[in-house]
Structures are given as structure tokens and as C-alpha cells.
Amino acid sequence: MKRLGVGGWIILALAAVYFIGPLVLTVIFSLWEGRGHYGISAYVTLLQRPNIVRSLVVSVELALATCAALVVLLVPAMVFMNLYAPRLRPLFEFIAALPFVVPAIALVAGLSALFSGPEWLIGTPFYLVIPYFFLALPYAYRAIDVGIRAIDLTTLTEAGQSLGADMGQIIRLIVLPNLRTALVGSTLLTLAVVMGEFTFANVLLFHTFAVLINEVGQNAPTEAAALSTLSFLITWLAMAGVLLAGRRGGVQLSGAR
Amino acid sequence: MATVEAAGVSKSYNGRTVLAKLDLAMTDGELICLLGPSGCGKTTLLRIIAGFVTPDAGRVLVAGTDVTALPASARRMGMVFQSYSLFPNMTARDNVRFGPRVGKVPLAEQHKRADRLLEMVGLASHAGKYPHQLSGGQQQRVALARALAVQPQVLLLDEPLSALDAKVRAQLRDEIRRIQRETGVTTVLVTHDQEEALSISDRVAVMNEGRLLQVATPSQIYREPADGFVARFIGAAAVLPGVTEDGKVRVGQIVLHAEAARQHAAGKQVDLFLRPEHVRLEQLNGHMPPDGVAADVGDTTFFGSLTRMRLTLADGQIIWADLPSEQAEQFKPGSRVLARWDAESPRVIPRG
């Protein structure tokens, strides 16, 4: 491999400053106690807040529920489209890109007008899974699409059918395990999207983690910085966990040697 | 193990006819090859038998029962595909026991069956390996074991050897034949390779443009092709257009003797088929026997024990001769020689 030249190092250093700089400054600011003192008092106050754990749990639950909804709805839909209606691909691509062009605030308005029930859903934060599904759709679609293109879906499905398996068994036993890497990718992106989502939760008056960060930031800036640092760590740990889980017993998709 | 019958099967895609009212009946335990150029409909026929394609008309019968309306998963047919189709997330053993597993066979029996079949295809020691750890030939063996694990009534092989290199292909071809005989399962093999078809089949079904041209044993297909297409497609043959005379065929200005010309009225437009292994060469020594023809030696192709020589007749027609290689050395490229063959050798088939 060629060694990195001076120019390369400079670019790397600039990129590092650009990405890591704000993070480091946030951490330093979160430790500031005023008048040149530094300590962890912001973290202590933060963790003593009554609703922090609750909002964190809500956000994580929402992220997981969104991931589950994507696996249950999106994966079979994409499998069937690829197998039986490949002509619909442009339509799928279009729909998957839509959430990028529709502003969040418009989505909220549309959503509240469209879904007025059922009672057990709209009263709980899980109502947010519906908009989050659409928010995460472009990322999840892209990740799963790459995964499906990497396997010979038609042949694997026909092989399964000729061995007597029904479509449910084929998806559960053959397709999903071979989309593992793609599903890990889609889960990571969904986690990141949902954990940081503010507009929907705020407008619909649900107390998620991102809403809490905003709330704290308005009256206690160092605490908000501490919270951002924590949220960064939690998200990062979650992603590392998903990555590790995906790698263990991961499937290699190379062909014959 | 069962008889298989396709009765009046038709299929067209976007107005293009792929299969035209095709009838094919297979006896129990038979290995039949569907042979033809790409686009002849052989794969479509196989996929109709498998249940992946619904015919526009006609029926598929297995052991006398109409299965046309049954989905592929209910037909109990093992299938081996052209492309590698093992499930990448499963070991060889898990691949083989997949069918019994979804068929709710008890676990112990699943493993017993998988191990027995992996042993049969010579891969007992590879049972724990994943597909990406196996060579192409090994993957197709596992695929064969997997197809047999459902104890199929019919085994369908869709060009299973075409992705393999020549040596592995020949080995696996013999192995498929052995295993097919051992299990006695009725088998349909699709191929475009005539050598493969001739060497492995009980019967060969030659197809072109959605029709069956001839269904016969390999030696019948080779020796008595039903028409010009079959003769051209099976084995190398020179095809010379001409007009029949008494026991001869006139091709341009030259007259080639062929006993089979007597089967047709004199003056009929025919094609004369002459296989290279039937042509003998002699040195020209001024004297021209009535059953001989002068030819100029052109390029030669060395096949080891045999050498194929390209010969140009007086008015530019080309024939070939396969000679034992040491004999072929006597005839130098560019020299003029005498080409002869037995009058019974050429086939004469009406043109049109």
C-alpha cells in the first residue's frame, strides 16, 4: 500500500478537527462549573432529573419498535417486489425517497389528520412508530436493497419452494439470515434517526430523549451539553452492539472458491 | 419415482411462442435429457414440470395424477439449479436436511438422511462446511443431495454442470448417472451440451423453437437423426445441399455416393450429412475410383488420439475427416488427396 503523503495527513487532520472538535468542546463545556472550575456536577444534576431514564427508555423502545416494523413490513414487501413485480421497482424507489422531500412538519399535520385511532395506539408514544417508519424508510430501503441485490433471491426462493417450504419459511429461514448484514445496517441507521428525532415528538407532545435534550438546553446549558455527550455515548454503544451482534456468526456471501 | 407426462403443453411470452403443444412422456426411473440451443424452450418445459411456470394450455401428470394446478412446494420434485443455489447461511448438512426439516420429519431422521446422502455424493467429511468453503463442483453435489433428501418423485436438473470446468463436469456427470441409477428416480436434465446429453441419458429429447424434434436413445439420435436440425445439432457433420440421383447425391458439379439417396425420388432437393469419422483419406496416385472424390487438405485440429482435417472439394464445399493422429501426419496441408466413405454412411434428408 502507498504511504500517506503530507497532503493526505493534512486532509485527515482537518477532517478530524471538523468531526471531533465539536464533540471535544461539548464534553469540556459539560464539565464547566463556572469561574474556571471543572467537575461532573452537570452530570450529577442531570441523572437526578426524574424523567431522564423514562425518556431514554421511550426513545430506545421507539427505535426498536420502528426496526421491528421495518423488518416485518418492508422486508417481505421488497422480497415480493423483487420476485414477482420487478417492474414496481421505480415506484418503490420513489416512495422510499419521498420522506426526504416532505418536511417533517407537513408529515405531522398529515399524520394527525389521517390517524385518529385506534385509541390504544394514538394515546401512547408508540404512535410515533408510524412517522418514524417513514423517516427511517429511505435509509432502511437503501440498506436492504443492497443486501437483496447481493444474493440470488430468485434461485434461493425457488430452491426453497422445490424443497417444500412456504413463503413464510423461506423468508424466515433463508432470506432474513442472508440479509443479516443489510439488516444490521438498516437497524443502525434507524436507531440513529429515531434517537435524534425531535420535531414529531415535540409537536405531538411526547417526551422522548431528543425532546428532553431540547428542554434541558433551554434553561441549563451545561446540563444539555452533558446530556448530548451521554446521548452520543449511548447511541454509539448501541451501534457498536448491533455491529458486534451482526458480525458474530455473520454470513459470508461470496460464491464458490 | 414415477412416470412424468407433459400433455399438450403450450406457453408463450408477450406473443412469442416458447412451447407449442408439446407432448413428452417419461417412463418410471428414466433419465431423459432435454437438449437444444438456448431459447428452444427446454428450460421453460423443465420449469413448467417443476411448477415455477404455469402453462397457457396443457397438463403435467406425475404418476398419472394431474399436478398442473399444484404449487412447486407441493409437487415433491427435487431440483438442482444452474447457478449455485445452496443457502449461504447453512452448512452442507443443514442445506441437505432443509427439505425434511420444513416437511416436519423428526430431527434424528433429518440428520440420518442428510448424512447418508452426503456420503452418497462423497462429501461426508464436508458436512459442517458452509457453501463459500466448498468448490463449485462440491456445491452442486450438495445441491444434488439436498434435492434427493425430500425423496422426490422426480428429479429436475437445470444445466447443473454448466458453471463447472471441463474436468469436474465430466466427473460429476458420471456421478449423477451413478446416483440416478442407485436411487432409480425419474430424472429430467436440461442441457445445451450434446456430449453431456449423449453420455448420460436413457433417452434424449432434442428441442428447437418450442417443439420436440426427436425423442430417442442417444445412439438412435446420433445414427438416425430425424431431420436436418437434429443431424446438424448432434455431433459434427458436413452438410452439403444437393440433388438426388440413383444412389448418389449431386452437389454442384461433383457426385457423392450415398446409398440413402435411393430412399428419395431422383431429382429431389436434399441435404447430405457426412460425419467426419466416416471419411477415410488415401494418397492420390492418378487413378480415381468411382466412389472417391478429390479433396484439398486444409487446416487440421489436433485432439490427441484424433486429428480433424478440413477438406475442400472441387467446387469449394467443405467436409471434415477424423483420422488417428499418426495416420493424419501423412497428409500435409495444401496437398490433394482422395476422400472415400462407405456408401451406407451418409444420411440424406429432404430439404425444406
Side-chain angles (χ1 to χ4, degrees):
Chain A
M1 216 163 63
K2 256 179 80 175
R3 279 174 61 88
L4 202 56
V6 181
W9 279 113
I10 293 173
I11 289 171
L12 263 188
L14 283 175
V17 168
Y18 186 80
F19 286 111
I20 301 172
L23 203 61
V24 172
L25 292 175
T26 306
V27 173
I28 293 173
F29 181 64
S30 72
L31 295 171
W32 187 63
E33 292 177 343
R35 296 191 198 141
H37 288 285
Y38 287 89
I40 56 162
S41 63
Y43 290 86
V44 175
T45 358
L46 183 68
L47 291 174
Q48 281 164 350
R49 274 179 180 267
N51 45 8
I52 176 166
V53 176
R54 232 192 80 69
S55 64
L56 183 61
V57 169
V58 165
S59 280
V60 171
E61 279 176 351
L62 282 174
L64 294 179
T66 309
C67 289
L70 283 166
V71 170
V72 171
L73 287 176
L74 190 60
V75 173
M78 291 179 69
V79 166
F80 284 110
M81 178 269 280
N82 273 284
L83 285 179
Y84 304 118
R87 284 188 196 169
L88 290 184
R89 177 182 288 281
L91 180 69
F92 270 61
E93 302 266 354
F94 175 72
I95 292 173
L98 261 188
F100 278 145
V101 288
V102 178
I105 202 77
L107 262 176
V108 177
L111 192 72
S112 342
L114 193 64
F115 290 91
S116 53
E119 204 60 42
W120 57 264
L121 182 65
I122 56 166
T124 71
F126 283 101
Y127 184 51
L128 286 172
V129 171
I130 298 167
Y132 288 178
F133 180 91
F134 293 110
L135 275 190
L137 186 62
Y139 308 100
Y141 177 86
R142 215 27 69 216
I144 295 169
D145 187 52
V146 169
I148 286 182
R149 282 168 194 256
I151 59 177
D152 187 346
L153 188 65
T154 310
T155 306
L156 291 184
T157 305
E158 289 182 350
Q161 285 174 334
S162 76
L163 294 167
D166 59 40
M167 264 333 269
Q169 288 170 319
I170 288 170
I171 289 182
R172 191 162 46 85
L173 301 173
I174 303 170
V175 177
L176 286 182
N178 287 309
L179 288 181
R180 195 185 194 121
T181 317
L183 290 175
V184 167
S186 122
T187 305
L188 283 181
L189 293 165
T190 308
L191 267 182
V193 168
V194 174
M195 289 301 287
E197 202 289 324
F198 171 73
T199 316
F200 285 94
N202 195 45
V203 171
L204 296 169
L205 302 175
F206 290 112
H207 227 250
T208 62
F209 200 56
V211 173
L212 183 77
I213 294 182
N214 179 57
E215 210 176 86
V216 172
Q218 288 181 352
N219 42 39
T222 57
E223 262 182 66
L227 192 54
S228 302
T229 309
L230 278 183
S231 113
F232 172 80
L233 273 179
I234 291 165
T235 312
W236 190 84
L237 278 177
M239 288 186 172
V242 175
L243 266 183
L244 281 178
R247 192 170 302 169
R248 188 173 42 219
V251 180
Q252 243 182 304
L253 292 167
S254 54
R257 275 178 303 142
Chain B
M1 275 115 279
T3 59
V4 177
E5 191 183 346
V9 168
S10 301
K11 183 74 192 176
S12 51
Y13 289 110
N14 305 323
R16 198 177 70 86
T17 304
V18 182
L19 292 177
K21 291 199 84 180
L22 183 143
D23 294 296
L24 176 65
M26 299 177 58
T27 58
D28 192 2
E30 182 178 39
L31 195 163
I32 202 164
C33 267
L34 304 180
L35 175 67
S38 53
C40 72
K42 57 190 193 296
T43 298
T44 305
L45 178 59
L46 187 85
R47 292 173 62 79
I48 285 175
I49 297 174
F52 295 130
V53 173
T54 313
D56 299 337
R59 299 182 304 157
V60 177
L61 301 147
V62 176
T65 311
D66 190 340
V67 299
T68 320
L70 281 184
S73 57
R75 290 196 185 189
R76 263 190 65 211
M77 296 188 186
M79 182 143 175
V80 177
F81 296 82
Q82 179 177 7
S83 52
Y84 301 124
S85 63
L86 293 185
F87 307 132
N89 57 314
M90 298 179 200
T91 61
R93 181 188 284 115
D94 287 345
N95 263 284
V96 177
R97 73 181 180 91
F98 182 85
R101 180 178 162 202
V102 297
K104 306 240 172 9
V105 171
L107 189 66
E109 168 66 15
Q110 290 175 23
H111 282 284
K112 218 175 89 188
R113 234 188 255 180
D115 289 342
R116 185 174 57 78
L117 286 166
L118 282 171
E119 174 134 13
M120 185 190 261
V121 298
L123 288 175
S125 58
H126 294 66
K129 289 192 179 166
Y130 284 91
H132 72 268
Q133 297 168 314
L134 299 170
S135 69
Q138 289 170 332
Q139 289 193 41
Q140 290 303 65
R141 279 163 203 250
V142 176
L144 182 63
R146 182 177 69 177
L148 290 168
V150 293
Q151 302 182 327
Q153 294 187 292
V154 185
L155 184 62
L156 305 172
L157 310 173
D158 182 11
E159 306 211 22
L161 306 176
S162 64
L164 307 174
D165 57 54
K167 203 174 159 194
V168 181
R169 199 184 310 167
Q171 268 175 8
L172 195 49
R173 185 177 71 200
D174 297 344
E175 207 141 333
I176 287 177
R177 187 52 169 155
R178 171 181 67 79
I179 290 167
Q180 194 270 337
R181 285 215 171 100
E182 271 177 40
T183 54
V185 57
T186 312
T187 301
V188 188
L189 178 113
V190 162
T191 182
H192 60 261
D193 180 342
Q194 43 111 354
E195 187 191 317
E196 193 173 304
L198 294 179
S199 61
I200 202 174
S201 322
D202 291 316
R203 285 194 299 160
V204 178
V206 184
M207 292 180 68
N208 190 37
E209 292 176 346
R211 288 168 206 286
L212 275 179
L213 301 180
Q214 188 173 13
V215 186
T217 64
S219 72
Q220 279 175 325
I221 293 265
Y222 190 81
R223 295 216 187 94
E224 301 151 30
D227 67 7
F229 179 86
V230 178
R232 245 178 287 240
F233 194 72
I234 305 285
V239 185
L240 306 171
V243 181
T244 49
E245 285 177 11
D246 181 35
K248 299 183 195 71
V249 174
R250 175 175 288 281
V251 176
Q253 302 129 29
I254 49 175
V255 172
L256 306 175
H257 78 157
E259 201 54 42
R262 293 189 199 281
Q263 297 161 0
H264 309 283
K268 193 164 174 59
Q269 299 273 340
V270 293
D271 279 332
L272 180 134
F273 289 82
L274 188 57
R275 295 223 183 261
E277 65 267 31
H278 292 145
V279 178
R280 301 186 305 273
L281 298 188
E282 290 168 25
Q283 301 293 355
L284 255 186
N285 42 16
H287 148 80
M288 174 67 68
D291 64 343
V293 59
D296 293 322
V297 178
D299 296 337
T300 62
T301 312
F302 182 65
F303 289 125
S305 59
L306 281 181
T307 295
R308 177 162 297 172
M309 313 185 83
R310 184 183 148 103
L311 304 163
T312 309
L313 304 185
D315 57 354
Q317 302 286 354
I318 306 293
I319 63 171
W320 284 274
D322 282 354
L323 302 183
S325 290
E326 63 267 34
Q327 196 187 327
E329 283 165 16
Q330 304 165 22
F331 305 100
K332 301 289 172 222
S335 62
R336 175 155 291 190
V337 297
L338 173 65
R340 307 173 81 164
W341 52 84
D342 293 339
E344 291 74 27
S345 297
R347 296 262 314 159
V348 175
I349 294 172
R351 202 131 45 90

